[in-house]
Amino acid sequence: MAFFVGGRPMKPGEPVTMEDAENHIFGMVVMNDWSARDIQKWEYVPLGPFGAKNFATSISPWVVTLDALEPFRCPTSAGEQSDPVPLEYIRDPSYSSYDIKLEVGIQGSSMDAPSTVTRSNFANLYWNIKQQLVHHSVTGCNMQPGDLLGSGTISGTPQDSFGSMLELCWKGSREVPLEGSDEVRKFLKDGDLVVMTGVCNERPGVPRVGFGAVEGRVLPAGTIGAAPAAVAEASERYANFVLYSYWRSTCSWRVRTALAAKGLLGTTEIRPVNLLQGGHKSDEHAEMNPMKQVPVLEFTDTVTGETIRLTQSMAIMDFLEESYPMGGALLPRDPVARAQAKEYAEMVNSGTQPLQNPSVFKKIEGLGKEEGVGRQFAKEAIEDGLASLEAKYT
């Protein structure tokens, strides 16, 4: 598991206090840090786990906020912190965790479905996420919104709840069977698909909350190398990126995330468009986007000298994926999985988000409907959309 830092940016030398910790945690994801445990075993004393962890990280598609997790707050498996007893700065008066059920499956290249190799629970961690954040910042590390902190391995007491292959195979002394096949594992093999899931089960009056699955396939060493010449030429063709966006626009954040995955965000100029002040309705913006919406991605084609403006987030992401294939993948390579990813995105992007846009429910109330009807319409649209997505996804 991992959590994204939120809240206001901290200044250098300013630690996060326990009292304020939850205000600086935006939400949680399932995370696979792809630890190469055989390398880690060699290097972590005295060097620390560097080469074993610095080559890949995968996270689940949903960031679940602490508000959504609140109904699932529970004691940790330790119950209380008596060994060791926390120092005062890291002592949590409301010491607790969340009941998040975790599973990991492995699917070999010749298997039809993943085989579950471990089941654990986030509550098995001794230190909670507030304590982790407070400790990380106690020396003045200025935590920033968007920082991602991993929880570390989450292992339970039973053997089938161990949180890593190194533990499951007990340093290679026993085999881990993959159900539904005659295969066994001690370490991952080329072609293996690793699937991690996290879910808070339904409770009376509280719906099920899921994080989605985080999947990744192990490829042979050297599979991903330098970009072919044609690809390199295409990625160098476009320059002078400018993103017109609004800080509350999910579509704008979708594009910012894609730019970051492709390594372009640092060189992209962000130009705010204040929707509350009508910046999107100006003649200048309407010329760039007749729909009078954000985001707009502007860039130069260095071959033709043309200034290009793309205006829909999914179209922008397709352009980035095709033009910069050697960056972080935005979509799966498998054509069916790729289509499904776009399907899920469009269920939100086209089927849900427009119905809950403030301009829509304000228009409804402007038609003579009583105050509050528009917001109720938006609320129902969100609930219906997410329920449909959940039904389709599971």
Side-chain angles (χ1 to χ4, degrees), residues 240-243 259 263-271 297-298:
N240 306 322
F241 284 92
V242 179
L243 178 64
L259 287 166
L264 298 171
L265 187 59
T267 56
T268 298
E269 179 185 351
I270 307 297
R271 294 186 185 174
L297 183 67
E298 178 183 275

Side-chain angles (χ1 to χ4, degrees), residues 147-161:
D147 288 346
L148 181 67
L149 278 72
S151 68
T153 305
I154 306 173
S155 294
T157 301
Q159 180 178 321
D160 61 0
S161 68

Side-chain angles (χ1 to χ4, degrees), residues 3 5 10-11 13-18 21 89-90 127-144 147-151:
F3 66 89
V5 174
M10 303 300 285
K11 300 175 182 178
E14 181 185 14
V16 177
T17 64
M18 185 60 68
Y89 78 93
I90 204 174
W127 304 101
N128 64 30
I129 55 176
K130 291 194 295 181
Q131 292 174 312
Q132 182 181 357
L133 178 60
V134 170
H135 180 66
H136 192 95
S137 68
V138 68
T139 53
C141 177
N142 54 321
M143 307 305 296
Q144 302 294 301
D147 288 346
L148 181 67
L149 278 72
S151 68

